[in-house]
DNA sequence: CGATTCCTTGAACTCTATCAATGAGCGTGG
DNA sequence: CCACGCTCATTGATAGAGTTCAAGGAATCG
């Protein structure tokens, strides 16, 4: 793997991003935060490389911190379906359930950077002290993952092409916002229309036409891999988008504000090179 | 709840069914088998009743032992999507991840009977002795559940109506066979065509036409809620159906044959009244 | 026997896929 | 610097898969 020759604070930003996400899922104390801050073992993966291979346990578990990946399922005739996207802050193979199975491959859609999540995995396993905070966060993350999977089923099963695209964009915007990589109206979308088609169960051509329509209607724009939501309210109405409500998972009081405040994400860079 | 006024051995059959399924997922020793055999707290649920309500923890966790249920997601305009079916032997809310979330309701599609799974839940939680066998089985069951969810995504995203129906039937046949409720060529299907449509993302009318076609081609028949696969090989070819491979989850040697032999399911009754 | 519920069938329509071709952007090498 | 090859986006024309509307039949039940 190539050495990391970018901003010196790259690793720090990465761990902050993970911490930011976990804190949105469960209260995270100083001890748990220290575990996150200690993560290292940066790996860089080239586009199209396989991050997770079916039937092969993920060794070791990792956090994706830069770039996008997708869980993909193939049919023998070449059709493929993207089951879900893996975005910065998401884990690969952290939950035992999460990956070894599924017989679906996870591939990098862009250049991807991952961190070794073994310390978190260990902390989760030996259900010790405040480390159970990490266990709770991991469970919440798995719940979230399932939530997005169910959203995907709803999109594919009962929404029109138009609704599917809107819904997917709202989901991505929401997910990226929780890790500080999107604003209320903008987010990076480093996907080809073919990838979009494989996620929404549509043909490339039709994805293109829906995007044209959305632009024509001035609901959004998409240039240089950046989506701008011009009418977020209208879009979420079209899609009937409902963001997941994390509150049911936050059994305890929400995270200590003091801790939260120490973790300010720096700017809203795209996180995509 | 109505008292159970059917075969005296009903509860015994139910626990055998669960044991049968768990043994297909992980080695189950005598101690763990005893936990299963001790399950009680039979409840009867009427068709259309809610077994699991979104945002409400399942209390207590249960095993479905008779009948069919479905996890359902609604849209405000009345469209609904069935995310997956819950068949005899499946758990409701056993895995922490499994249900409290998802914001999807589980409804009984037929008359349903459930057993209180609390003893199993406790055994899984306090990761004691051979009880970890139950934990392993529970994890494997959760993996399986995810597998079926991914199959559903593939069906909805990239298969034609014809393929979807075939694929779904192969999945159901396979799942019912693992609990002794189906043969190689026959299984009960207590679903209306509307339910089938809501699962496959199709319209009722189109489901009807696909079924007509499959009958006309003599690939299967469907009468009185019984599906007969006349050409299982052809059907699984059409659907590109691949049954989940449990071997990756069976880390240890397969279940003790002596124990297996004690658990003979009685006949192949439909289990559906 | 009427009232439901579910299944079946036909006809018209529409959404989405497929086929085919063109254009824009980009990196490479001569 | 430009030509070439490549990938990706775009557009039109056509075809097909699946939906919607509407109505009739079969089975069940009180």
């Amino acid at each position: 793997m190539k050495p990391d020759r970018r901003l010196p604070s790259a690793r720090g930003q990465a761990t902050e991003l993970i911490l930011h996400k976990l804190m949105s899922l469960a209260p995270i104390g100083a001890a748990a935060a220290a575990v996150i801050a200690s993560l290292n073992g940066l790996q860089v993966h080239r586009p199209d490389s396989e991050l997770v291979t079916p039937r092969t346990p993920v060794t070791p578990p990792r956090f994706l911190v830069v770039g996008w990946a997708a869980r993909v399922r193939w049919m023998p005739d070449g059709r493929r379906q993207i089951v879900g996207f893996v975005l910065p802050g998401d884990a690969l193979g952290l939950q035992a359930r999460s990956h070894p199975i599924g017989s679906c491959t996870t591939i990098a859609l862009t250049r991807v950077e991952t961190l070794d999540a073994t310390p978190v995995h260990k902390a989760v396993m030996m259900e010790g002290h405040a480390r159970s905070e990490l266990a709770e966060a991991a469970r919440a993350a798995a719940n979230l993952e399932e939530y997005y999977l169910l959203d995907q089923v709803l999109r594919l099963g009962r929404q029109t092409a138009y609704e599917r695209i809107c819904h997917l964009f709202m989901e991505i915007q929401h997910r990226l916002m929780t890790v500080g990589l999107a604003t209320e109206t903008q987010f990076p979308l480093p996907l080809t229309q073919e990838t979009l088609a494989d996620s929404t169960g549509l043909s490339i051509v039709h994805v293109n036409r829906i995007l044209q329509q959305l632009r024509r209607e001035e609901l959004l724009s998409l240039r240089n891999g950046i989506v701008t939501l011009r009418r977020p309210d209208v879009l979420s109405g079209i899609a009937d988008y409902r963001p997941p409500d994390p509150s049911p998972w936050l059994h305890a009081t929400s995270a200590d504000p003091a801790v939260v405040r120490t973790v300010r994400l720096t700017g809203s860079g795209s996180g995509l090179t």
Side-chain angles (χ1 to χ4, degrees), chain A:
Chain A
M1 301 294 158
K2 294 187 284 188
D4 183 16
R5 47 176 169 57
R6 294 162 319 112
L7 330 182
S9 64
R11 199 187 65 90
Q13 284 187 3
T15 59
E16 276 181 12
L17 179 145
I18 295 170
L19 186 54
H20 195 253
K21 172 166 180 184
L22 294 187
M23 285 192 313
S24 76
L25 296 172
I28 299 290
V35 173
I36 300 299
S38 76
L39 293 179
N40 53 21
L42 182 73
Q43 274 189 10
V44 178
H45 310 262
R46 300 193 310 177
D48 297 323
S49 58
E50 291 191 1
L51 303 183
V52 180
T53 303
R55 323 195 154 282
T56 309
V58 185
T59 50
R62 312 195 67 78
F63 281 115
L64 191 155
V65 292
V66 173
W68 286 36
R71 302 176 65 191
V72 179
R73 203 105 182 268
W74 297 87
M75 292 187 65
D77 59 4
R79 284 179 284 185
R80 72 170 198 180
Q81 176 63 42
I82 289 179
V83 167
F85 292 108
V86 185
L87 305 183
D90 291 343
L92 296 169
L94 184 56
Q95 288 289 106
R97 64 159 273 279
S98 175
H99 266 283
I101 182 188
S103 78
C104 76
T105 309
T106 299
I107 59 171
L109 296 173
T110 66
R111 177 174 170 284
V112 157
E113 297 179 17
T114 60
L115 287 180
D116 185 344
T118 304
V120 174
H121 185 247
K122 278 188 177 146
V124 167
M125 288 298 93
M126 53 160 155
E127 38 158 317
H129 349 210
R131 276 73 190 290
S132 71
E133 290 174 350
L134 290 177
E136 171 125 354
R139 261 195 315 110
N143 278 340
L144 249 193
E145 218 181 281
E146 190 192 27
Y147 181 91
Y148 292 127
L149 199 45
L150 298 190
D151 266 359
Q152 172 79 332
V153 171
L154 190 66
R155 273 196 295 265
L156 295 173
R158 284 301 182 213
Q159 291 200 305
T160 66
Y162 191 66
E163 292 165 335
R164 285 182 212 180
I165 299 280
C166 294
H167 196 282
L168 178 61
F169 281 3
M170 296 309 291
E171 174 182 317
I172 290 174
Q173 187 262 348
H174 177 266
R175 288 174 65 180
L176 288 179
M177 206 157 64
T178 66
V179 287
L181 295 177
T183 69
E184 284 288 347
T185 57
Q186 277 199 327
F187 59 90
L189 188 81
L191 304 178
T192 66
Q193 294 185 354
E194 177 173 16
T195 305
L196 230 33
D198 286 335
S199 170
T200 53
L202 302 168
S203 67
I204 304 179
V205 173
H206 206 232
V207 166
N208 183 287
R209 294 197 164 115
I210 299 293
L211 291 177
Q212 300 296 332
Q213 183 182 352
L214 289 168
R215 279 189 274 237
R216 211 179 314 124
E217 297 169 337
E218 310 210 300
L219 296 179
L220 60 77
S221 67
L222 166 50
R223 283 171 23 236
N224 298 328
I226 305 285
V227 173
T228 304
L229 307 175
R230 301 213 174 284
R231 298 281 200 74
D233 50 329
V234 175
L235 287 167
S236 75
I238 291 169
D240 182 39
Y241 182 73
R242 295 120 186 278
D245 176 8
S247 60
W249 313 315
L250 290 177
H251 303 308
T253 61
S254 60
D256 175 355
V259 177
V260 173
R261 217 170 291 118
T262 65
V263 184
R264 298 279 304 279
L265 287 183
T266 50
S268 58
S270 76
L272 290 165
T273 301

